């Protein structure tokens, strides 16, 4: 297969897709050649469930420009893989267990051969057709939507040529992945179109009259639930539909409930699991997500989804919650003297975990003036030792024990705020962002803790 442009792929994930049990457990072999690449590392990745399970991988070094992987036999019916041979020599595609695929990379050429080449070639050619669609000169939301609409049509034209030659379920998954990836980008135009001055009515018009009519006709099913990019697309669509109905951005809990009431069966199980795992990875509200995970475990039917969320739920429950004793710590202050949390028993403590990009100084300074320093202490914990402005209260430095402190307090992103009561117990694990209301809600929480 010849290409007029230098081969270039942008890939976010690869995954191993279970469709139905197969009788014969056979190895899948992926091999190839990279011109001038001896000694370069090569890796291949796959997932046992798209959007749910952790990645599996193999690594090797090119030997005389060549590589070869034999993926272990597993009870799967189709395999979606991601191969990274460095630079522009990356590729992803769909195979059947027992298939072989050979990839020959050149400067501007990719040759695919082997029994599994057809499905991979369909994916490759669809993406190349999309790359040839000229980007619009005008960079507004409507122009971007039109561009993505042309890309969807270009990909669809290519995929239609493979509809009769590929197994139905392989064709369905390939199509859901290719079109879902572009459709997600199209929906994202809704959020790019909301700077100051764009009214809700204009956003609604953009979505209802321009974006929604352009979305691909992919039927939600147990099969399309095996396409990770299609799951990503459905999450974006759920957020957009919620926004159009409620006229507000949705919380993790609200999008969870939306998906729960709009989808059923395996697709619902996988979409909810994918949403919860993404939100947890992004550092969403832990208590809110823990409640969602607890509810999910009472309704989920899909075994792999149950296992994935149960494991994460167990980790969340090991974290902190309101009423439990605040985990003890001792960290050095700016002079190197150790300071322990227990020193402040009898006072309300605001713990502020921050890094160099923290933007809470004005808000916390304003809140600090509202309280008697003998009753309320602000403790600011610098988690990366970068220079920062002087905060009101006590500033502590990260040291060799900071990782353990962050794990105990379940801190996954900065800034993070925690309120500890006078009795040394957690009073609030994720108080509201003080920049949103000049600290009014956070100040109310601290006042309430003082009254205990």
């Amino acid at each position: 297969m010849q290409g007029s442009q230098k081969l270039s792929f942008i890939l976010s994930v690869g995954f191993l897709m279970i469709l139905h049990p197969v009788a014969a457990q056979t190895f899948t072999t992926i091999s190839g050649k990279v011109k001038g690449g001896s000694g370069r590392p090569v890796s291949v990745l796959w997932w046992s469930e798209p959007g749910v399970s952790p990645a599996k991988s193999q690594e090797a070094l090119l030997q005389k420009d060549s590589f070869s992987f034999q993926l272990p036999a597993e009870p799967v019916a189709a395999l979606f893989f991601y191969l990274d041979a460095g630079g522009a020599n990356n590729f992803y595609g769909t195979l059947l267990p027992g298939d072989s695929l050979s990839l020959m990379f050149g400067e501007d050429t990719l040759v695919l051969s082997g029994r599994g080449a057809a499905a991979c070639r369909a994916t490759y050619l669809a993406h190349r057709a999309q790359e040839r669609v000229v980007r619009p000169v005008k960079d507004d939301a409507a122009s971007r939507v039109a561009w993505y609409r042309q890309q969807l049509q270009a990909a669809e034209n290519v995929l239609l040529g493979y509809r009769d030659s590929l197994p139905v379920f392989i064709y369905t998954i390939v199509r859901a992945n290719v079109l879902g990836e572009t459709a997600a980008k199209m929906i994202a135009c809704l959020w790019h179109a909301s700077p100051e001055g764009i009214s809700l009515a204009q956003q609604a018009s953009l979505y209802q009259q321009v974006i929604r009519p352009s979305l691909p006709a992919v039927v939600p099913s147990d099969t399309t639930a095996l396409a990770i990019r299609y799951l990503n697309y459905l999450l974006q669509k759920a957020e957009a539909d919620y926004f159009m109905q409620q006229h507000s951005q949705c919380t993790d809990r609200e999008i969870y409930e939306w998906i729960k009431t709009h989808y059923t069966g395996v697709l619902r199980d996988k979409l909810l699991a994918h949403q919860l795992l993404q939100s947890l990875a992004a550092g969403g509200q832990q208590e809110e997500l823990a409640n969602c995970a607890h509810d999910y475990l009472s309704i989920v039917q899909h075994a792999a989804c149950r296992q994935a969320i149960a494991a994460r739920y167990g980790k969340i429950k090991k974290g902190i919650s309101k009423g439990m004793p605040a985990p003890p710590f001792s960290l050095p202050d700016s002079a190197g003297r150790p300071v322990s949390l227990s020193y402040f028993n009898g006072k309300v403590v605001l713990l502020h975990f921050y890094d160099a990009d923290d933007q809470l100084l004005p808000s916390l300074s304003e809140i600090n003036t509202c309280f008697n320093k003998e009753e309320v202490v602000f403790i600011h914990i610098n988690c990366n030792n970068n220079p920062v402005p002087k905060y009101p209260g006590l500033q502590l430095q990260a040291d060799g024990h900071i990782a353990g402190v962050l794990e105990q307090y379940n801190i996954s992103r900065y800034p993070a705020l925690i309120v500890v009561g006078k009795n040394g117990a957690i009073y609030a694990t994720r108080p509201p962002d003080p920049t949103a209301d000049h600290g009014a809600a956070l100040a109310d929480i601290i006042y309430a803790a003082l009254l205990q």
Side-chain angles (χ1 to χ4, degrees):
M1 181 184 308
Q2 301 292 325
S4 59
Q5 301 176 356
K6 186 175 179 64
L7 176 65
S8 177
F9 294 94
I10 300 176
L11 182 73
S12 60
V13 293
F15 56 88
L16 183 69
M17 301 187 294
I18 292 179
L19 291 171
H20 54 76
V22 293
Q25 298 302 305
T26 53
F27 290 96
T28 300
T29 302
I30 302 175
S31 60
K33 188 176 181 66
V34 182
K35 183 178 179 181
S38 294
R40 181 185 304 169
V42 182
S43 64
V44 63
L45 299 94
W46 68 95
W47 278 250
S48 61
E49 286 289 347
V52 176
S53 66
K56 300 178 183 178
S57 66
Q58 288 186 23
E59 296 184 354
L61 293 177
L62 288 171
Q63 302 295 327
K64 296 183 179 179
D65 300 344
S66 300
F67 61 86
S68 181
F69 296 99
Q70 189 177 65
L71 306 186
E74 298 194 37
V76 299
L79 172 73
F80 191 100
F81 68 92
Y82 168 45
L83 178 81
D84 184 356
N89 303 314
N90 304 309
F91 187 77
Y92 67 98
T94 305
L95 296 172
L96 296 175
D99 275 353
S100 61
L101 181 70
S102 178
L103 307 165
M104 296 184 64
F105 295 100
E107 291 185 359
D108 61 354
T109 302
L110 173 64
V111 178
L112 300 95
S113 59
R115 194 168 65 181
C120 296
R121 187 176 295 118
T123 300
Y124 168 64
L125 288 178
H127 281 296
R128 290 303 295 267
Q130 289 182 313
E131 290 173 359
R132 288 192 289 270
V133 178
V134 179
R135 187 181 185 94
V137 175
K138 191 175 181 180
D139 190 26
D140 64 301
S143 298
R144 287 197 298 272
V145 170
W147 181 44
Y148 291 133
R149 182 169 59 243
Q150 294 176 51
Q151 288 189 336
L152 286 170
Q153 188 59 57
E156 190 80 280
N157 291 340
V158 171
L159 294 172
L160 284 173
Y162 288 86
R163 184 174 57 184
D164 297 328
S165 59
L166 290 174
V168 174
F169 67 87
I170 290 291
Y171 175 78
T172 301
I173 295 167
V174 168
R175 181 173 179 269
N177 267 312
V178 172
L179 300 186
E181 182 176 11
T182 305
K185 297 176 183 177
M186 179 183 289
I187 289 180
C189 294
L190 177 66
W191 316 119
H192 297 320
S194 56
E196 186 176 356
I198 300 297
S199 68
L200 179 61
Q202 289 173 309
Q203 278 187 287
S205 176
L206 174 68
Y207 186 62
Q208 302 293 352
Q209 299 181 25
V210 181
I211 295 178
R212 286 197 68 174
S214 303
L215 296 176
V218 179
V219 179
S221 67
D222 292 357
T223 302
T224 52
L226 295 164
I228 181 63
R229 287 170 178 77
Y230 183 64
L231 293 183
N232 291 336
Y233 155 65
L234 289 183
L235 285 185
Q236 291 230 27
K237 186 174 184 299
E239 292 181 7
D241 288 339
Y242 179 92
F243 178 77
M244 288 296 107
Q245 184 180 86
Q246 302 295 328
H247 308 305
S248 65
Q249 300 289 347
C250 53
T251 65
D252 291 326
R253 178 76 195 193
E254 289 164 342
I255 196 63
Y256 172 86
E257 294 294 343
W258 178 273
I259 295 169
K260 181 180 170 182
T261 57
H262 284 75
Y263 295 93
T264 60
V266 173
L267 180 60
R268 181 204 63 178
D269 284 357
K270 290 193 172 184
L271 192 55
L272 284 175
H274 187 51
Q275 184 251 338
L276 289 174
L277 292 170
Q278 278 198 340
S279 297
L280 286 166
Q285 296 285 340
Q286 297 293 302
E287 287 182 274
E288 182 177 82
L289 291 172
N291 291 333
C292 291
H294 182 268
D295 177 76
Y296 179 77
L297 292 174
S298 70
I299 64 172
V300 61
Q301 299 296 316
H302 193 275
C305 293
R306 172 181 291 277
Q307 182 179 5
I309 298 303
R312 293 304 303 271
Y313 181 64
K315 292 181 180 179
I316 297 173
K317 296 302 289 182
K318 290 179 181 178
I320 60 172
S321 60
K322 184 174 181 178
M324 70 173 289
F329 63 79
S330 180
L331 295 173
D333 63 13
S334 57
R337 296 182 296 265
V339 176
S340 298
L341 180 62
S342 60
Y343 292 171
F344 305 101
N345 286 345
K347 299 181 180 181
V348 172
V349 177
L350 175 68
L351 296 178
H352 170 217
F353 297 86
Y354 67 94
D355 62 5
D357 296 325
D358 190 86
Q359 302 294 318
L360 299 188
L361 176 58
S363 299
L364 294 182
S365 296
E366 185 175 355
I367 298 171
N368 186 65
T369 62
C370 301
F371 298 102
N372 185 324
K373 307 307 180 288
E374 298 301 317
E375 297 180 325
V376 177
V377 176
F378 284 20
I379 298 180
H380 311 276
I381 301 176
N382 185 343
C383 296
N384 58 12
N385 284 325
N386 287 331
V388 293
K390 176 65 176 176
Y391 284 98
L394 183 64
Q395 290 187 262
L396 305 182
Q397 304 299 315
D399 68 355
H401 302 291
I402 189 62
V405 174
L406 296 178
E407 182 177 358
Q408 284 184 303
Y409 280 87
N410 204 16
I411 304 299
S412 57
R413 63 178 179 178
Y414 310 115
L417 298 171
I418 294 172
V419 178
V420 180
K422 293 183 292 184
N423 60 355
I426 299 295
Y427 186 80
T429 60
R430 295 291 187 275
D433 179 2
T435 63
D437 59 356
H438 299 284
L442 178 56
D444 287 344
I445 290 173
I446 296 174
Y447 276 121
L450 278 171
L451 297 176
Q452 275 197 324

